[in-house]
């Protein structure tokens, strides 16, 4: 614990400078500084704090700012006001500090000698997955997929919904523990405004909110897949879906894809479950043809298999007409439908949903209750308002236009600067699956490009076999790069390619 002291020995200006949360008002920053000083032990219980005038002078702020900060801290129990004496740290704060006064600073915890690697029953860290640099937002050319674009975020609209969700009546709806339930307003919004656009009609007991689509996949895998289960996976396909299923079974069957999506093959007959991304195949962006959709559903019915449909980015079609979901054609209850609400909006919100038969949904809710009980109810209510007030679909329409413009610029830039690269035309989504020349190693290219400030995703990770000889594909995302930076980013990538081929 830091050395404690009196108010007179505290360097207030230095402490204030460390409160770098400039989203807070001056009063908020002062309160945060004082709370930190009290809880960390810089100001022990019973010690005086400077007068509002002295603190205002030390920090270079108006006196009223410190007066209001002190008043709020008194209300919250951090300070006590003594008539004609000033403000003091509340004596009740003695129970809030981590160690007695004068205790030595805590060092690193002692090593226990436990061999944790021997105790682990699963090593998720060793699985292959998409790796994005932690500092991608500070790099000039982030061709990263499904990342946040601050310029496109609907700040005013989202703030409106968050404030509405803080009304007295709304708080009474989301503040209690929902246990295994969801906010009925969000379920209704999904059922009546999201799913119908995909041709899906579901009862309220057939829809469950999740912490993103990946959480839904984990729930399904936990309930339905065991060591002898055979799961068909698109190849190339979504790496983390593969990782989730591989945690439950080693019997993963790679299923090839082409320009029309998943290719019907005899291997499908072996599968108990088939994971498919029909609207925008991950990562190639191919759309599963209607003929293949019908054939896949008929095969599932004949072989008693289940289709797990991840319908990501379906709303981001540039022609404004989403293709019908596989689930919308399902007449025999063979499709488990998974969607994301936040991927296009703000990936950090982590909201998705699953549509499943009610008898399975009972178990899914019970399992979710064991894991997290339910996604944050306040977030659910705010998002329900975001959808019902029309902001969600307005945002999707705007993003489709923005992405269409960026896709055009990207394709033109690649034709100009990297004529030896190419891919199928982009009709929707926020990424492009690009194929380079046969001798290109995109793993090495990605490392070299990163040093030049260009973020790309090498394609080998999308293939099931880690020894895959497909080393010439890359995925270029354009959700988080401004259209004006795309051409110069591809030009920079072209220079890296030229240097690496020398």
């Amino acid at each position: 614990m830091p050395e404690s002291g009196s108010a007179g020995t505290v360097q207030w200006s230095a402490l204030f400078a460390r409160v770098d949360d400039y989203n807070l008002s001056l009063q908020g920053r002062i309160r945060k500084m004082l709370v930190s000083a009290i809880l960390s032990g810089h100001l022990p219980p019973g010690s005086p704090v400077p007068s509002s005038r002295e603190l205002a002078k030390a920090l270079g702020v108006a006196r009223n700012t410190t007066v209001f900060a002190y008043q709020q801290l008194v209300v919250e129990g951090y300070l006590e006001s003594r008539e004609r004496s000033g403000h003091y740290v509340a004596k009740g704060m003695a129970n809030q500090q981590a160690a007695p006064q004068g205790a030595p600073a805590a060092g690193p915890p002692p090593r226990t000698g436990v061999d944790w690697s021997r105790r682990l029953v699963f090593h998720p860290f060793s699985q292959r997955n998409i790796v994005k640099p932690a500092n991608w937002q500070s790099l000039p050319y982030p061709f990263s997929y499904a990342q946040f674009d601050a310029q496109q975020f609907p700040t005013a609209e989202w703030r409106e919904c968050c404030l509405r969700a803080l009304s007295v009546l709304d708080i009474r709806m989301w503040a209690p523990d929902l246990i295994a339930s969801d906010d009925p307003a969000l379920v209704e919004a999904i059922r009546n405004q999201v799913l119908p656009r995909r041709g899906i009609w579901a009862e309220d007991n057939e829809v469950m909110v999740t912490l993103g689509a990946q959480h839904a996949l984990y729930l399904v895998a936990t309930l339905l897949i065991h060591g002898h289960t055979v799961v068909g996976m698109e190849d190339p396909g979504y790496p983390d879906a593969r990782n989730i299923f591989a945690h439950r079974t080693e019997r993963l069957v790679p299923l090839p894809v082409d320009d029309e999506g998943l290719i019907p093959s005899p291997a499908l007959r072996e599968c108990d479950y088939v994971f498919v991304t029909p609207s925008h195949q991950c990562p190639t962006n191919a759309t599963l043809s209607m003929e293949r959709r019908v054939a896949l559903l008929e095969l599932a019915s004949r072989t008693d298999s289940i289709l797990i449909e991840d319908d990501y980015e379906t709303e981001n079609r540039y022609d404004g007409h989403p293709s019908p979901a596989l689930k919308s054609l399902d007449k025999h209850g063979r499709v488990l439908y998974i969607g994301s609400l936040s991927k296009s909006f703000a990936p950090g919100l982590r909201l998705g949903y699953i549509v499943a038969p009610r008898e399975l949904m009972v178990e899914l809710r019970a399992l979710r209750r064991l894991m997290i009980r339910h996604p944050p109810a306040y977030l659910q209510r705010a998002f329900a308002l975001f959808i019902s007030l029309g902001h969600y679909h307005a945002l999707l329409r705007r993003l489709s236009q923005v992405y269409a413009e960026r896709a055009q610029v990207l394709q033109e830039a690649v034709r100009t600067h990297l004529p030896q690269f190419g891919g199928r035309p982009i009709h929707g989504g926020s990424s492009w699956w690009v194929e380079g020349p046969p001798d290109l190693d995109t793993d090495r290219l990605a490392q070299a490009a990163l040093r030049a400030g260009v973020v790309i995703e090498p394609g080998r990770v999308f293939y099931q076999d880690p020894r895959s000889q497909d080393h010439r594909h890359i995925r270029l995302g354009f959700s988080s790069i401004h259209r004006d930076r795309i051409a110069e980013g591809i030009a920079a990538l072209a220079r890296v390619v030229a240097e690496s081929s020398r």
Side-chain angles (χ1 to χ4, degrees):
M1 185 179 69
E3 183 181 353
S4 61
S6 67
T9 62
V10 176
Q11 299 296 317
W12 294 108
S13 58
L15 280 180
F16 190 61
R18 291 169 59 183
V19 183
D20 57 358
D21 190 346
Y22 293 99
N23 289 322
L24 292 174
S25 63
L26 280 174
Q27 182 196 138
R29 291 175 63 196
I30 291 171
R31 285 162 50 197
K32 184 175 180 179
M33 172 192 70
L34 288 167
V35 168
S36 176
I38 291 168
L39 295 181
S40 65
H42 280 89
L43 289 177
S47 63
V49 296
S51 69
S52 58
R53 188 185 304 278
E54 290 172 340
L55 186 60
K57 182 178 180 181
L59 302 182
V61 301
R63 184 186 176 193
N64 279 347
T65 303
T66 57
V67 169
F68 291 142
Y70 280 3
Q71 288 175 348
Q72 185 63 34
L73 291 175
V74 169
V75 170
E76 293 179 352
Y78 289 95
L79 298 180
E80 297 173 350
S81 178
R82 301 179 187 175
E83 189 175 358
R84 297 184 180 180
S85 180
H87 289 88
Y88 294 78
V89 177
K91 293 182 179 179
M93 287 294 105
N95 298 324
Q96 304 298 317
Q97 295 177 347
Q101 295 298 315
R111 294 186 61 84
T112 62
V114 176
D115 183 2
W116 291 109
S117 62
R118 181 175 58 84
R119 295 172 178 267
L120 288 172
V121 296
F122 175 44
H123 294 263
F125 184 77
S126 64
Q127 291 183 315
R128 294 183 302 129
N129 53 59
I130 301 168
V131 178
K132 301 181 189 296
N135 65 334
W136 69 266
Q137 292 190 76
S138 64
L139 297 176
Y141 311 115
F143 292 102
S144 295
Y145 170 69
Q147 291 300 326
F148 170 73
D149 184 348
Q151 294 184 347
Q152 300 303 324
F153 187 80
T155 304
E157 294 87 344
W158 181 244
R159 182 181 288 124
E160 174 197 8
C161 295
C162 289
L163 290 174
R164 283 175 177 254
L166 290 173
S167 70
V168 174
L169 291 177
D170 280 297
I171 289 174
R172 290 175 181 174
M173 293 298 296
W174 61 254
D177 183 358
L178 302 183
I179 307 176
S181 300
D182 290 310
D183 185 334
L186 181 56
V187 172
E188 180 182 2
I190 293 171
R191 288 179 57 229
N192 296 329
Q193 296 192 44
V194 176
L195 293 178
R197 290 173 58 86
R198 308 292 297 115
I200 299 172
W201 303 94
E203 300 296 330
D204 57 1
N205 57 5
E206 295 176 325
V207 178
M208 185 180 77
V209 181
T210 62
L211 291 175
Q214 197 163 308
H215 179 216
L217 286 172
Y218 198 92
L219 291 167
V220 167
T222 302
L223 278 184
L224 300 177
I225 295 173
H226 54 75
H228 300 294
T229 305
V230 180
V231 180
M233 294 287 305
E234 296 168 322
D235 196 43
Y238 179 31
D240 274 332
R242 182 181 68 229
N243 290 337
I244 288 170
F245 297 136
H247 176 39
R248 298 292 169 182
T249 180
E250 295 181 353
R251 303 181 68 183
L252 301 183
V253 177
L255 303 172
V257 300
D258 63 11
D259 288 354
E260 295 183 50
L262 181 66
I263 300 173
S265 67
L268 283 166
R269 299 188 182 94
E270 306 172 17
C271 301
D272 301 301
Y273 298 88
V274 177
F275 175 78
V276 60
T277 52
S279 296
H280 283 281
Q281 199 278 327
C282 175
T284 69
N285 266 1
T287 299
L288 190 64
S289 67
M290 184 60 66
E291 180 183 1
R292 291 188 182 181
R293 290 172 190 246
V294 172
L296 189 58
L297 286 165
E298 290 177 349
L299 180 62
S301 183
R302 289 199 308 271
T303 60
D304 191 28
S305 59
I306 299 296
L307 307 177
I308 303 171
E309 177 181 13
D310 185 349
D311 207 23
Y312 86 110
E313 279 205 322
T314 184
E315 296 281 3
N316 287 333
R317 286 192 64 86
Y318 305 156
D319 58 12
H321 300 290
S323 56
L326 195 62
K327 178 68 175 175
S328 70
L329 308 172
D330 179 23
K331 306 301 182 186
H332 304 288
R334 293 281 165 188
V335 179
L336 301 178
Y337 182 85
I338 292 171
S340 172
L341 292 172
S342 57
K343 182 180 291 291
S344 298
F345 172 42
L349 286 176
R350 305 307 307 157
L351 276 182
Y353 59 93
I354 180 170
V355 179
R358 64 194 68 181
E359 57 267 33
L360 177 59
M361 188 59 73
V362 170
E363 301 295 345
L364 285 168
R365 286 193 177 280
L367 177 60
R368 190 191 66 174
R369 180 182 62 81
L370 290 177
M371 296 175 68
I372 62 167
R373 296 184 80 81
H374 56 80
Y378 169 70
L379 189 58
Q380 291 191 51
R381 177 52 58 101
F383 213 104
L385 290 164
F386 192 74
I387 295 174
S388 63
L389 293 174
H391 300 319
Y392 180 64
H393 286 102
L395 171 66
L396 292 177
R397 288 192 297 271
R398 178 163 56 83
L399 287 178
S400 291
Q401 181 178 353
V402 169
Y403 291 163
E405 294 172 354
R406 293 180 184 180
Q408 182 178 357
V409 173
L410 176 61
Q411 291 172 101
E412 292 174 354
V414 169
R415 283 194 292 268
T416 300
H417 300 288
L418 290 168
Q420 68 274 44
F421 286 67
R424 66 172 59 87
I426 311 173
H427 299 296
S430 59
S431 66
W432 192 20
W433 183 246
V434 179
E435 182 178 338
D439 59 344
L440 181 69
D441 186 333
T442 55
D443 291 311
R444 293 182 179 177
L445 176 62
Q447 296 175 7
L450 191 59
R451 292 191 288 270
V454 183
V455 182
I456 62 173
E457 293 180 353
R460 202 193 308 253
V461 69
F462 295 96
Y463 289 86
Q464 183 169 321
D465 187 349
R467 300 163 299 177
S468 171
Q469 295 305 304
D470 192 306
H471 46 66
R472 56 177 177 167
H473 279 94
I474 57 175
R475 183 168 69 170
L476 297 174
F478 45 85
S479 62
S480 58
I481 183 171
H482 194 275
R483 59 169 294 172
D484 294 341
R485 307 300 301 275
I486 291 175
E488 59 186 75
I490 295 301
L493 179 61
R495 291 192 291 270
V496 175
V497 171
E499 292 171 1
S500 62
S501 61
R502 291 174 184 170

